[in-house]
């Protein structure tokens, strides 16, 4: 059973490019403040706006920063 806060994260962009630095800051904010789980690219309507490569990159960054 899942418990706690599971957050659908936004994916920050700057000049139409994934802003990795701010995405990592957002992930770390949630890790440091007790969020139980995250949903990368999980906001309403966001995933269709990402390319396949951007979507993969968001997931790869999330897994790395959350250590699996």
């Amino acid at each position: 059973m899942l418990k706690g806060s599971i957050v659908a994260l936004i994916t920050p962009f700057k000049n139409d490019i994934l802003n990795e630095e701010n995405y990592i800051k957002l992930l770390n904010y949630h890790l440091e403040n007790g969020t139980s789980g995250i949903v990368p690219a999980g906001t309403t309507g966001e995933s269709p706006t990402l390319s396949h490569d951007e979507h993969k990159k968001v997931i790869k960054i999330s897994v790395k920063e959350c250590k699996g």
Side-chain angles (χ1 to χ4, degrees):
M1 172 94 345
L2 300 174
K3 292 183 180 182
S5 172
I6 301 174
V7 178
L9 293 179
I10 62 165
T11 305
F13 282 82
K14 185 173 184 178
N15 299 322
D16 295 328
I17 298 171
L18 173 63
N19 188 325
E20 292 182 45
E21 180 182 342
N22 280 339
Y23 188 68
I24 291 169
K25 285 180 185 178
L26 182 62
L27 285 166
N28 285 311
Y29 171 84
H30 284 282
L31 290 170
E32 293 165 5
N33 287 284
T35 299
S36 299
I38 59 148
V39 182
T43 61
T44 303
E46 183 173 335
S47 59
T49 65
L50 298 172
S51 71
H52 291 297
D53 288 337
E54 288 170 330
H55 203 128
K56 288 178 191 175
K57 193 172 209 173
V58 165
I59 301 224
K60 184 177 180 178
I61 292 169
S62 298
V63 169
K64 179 182 176 194
E65 289 298 313
C66 295
K67 300 184 181 19

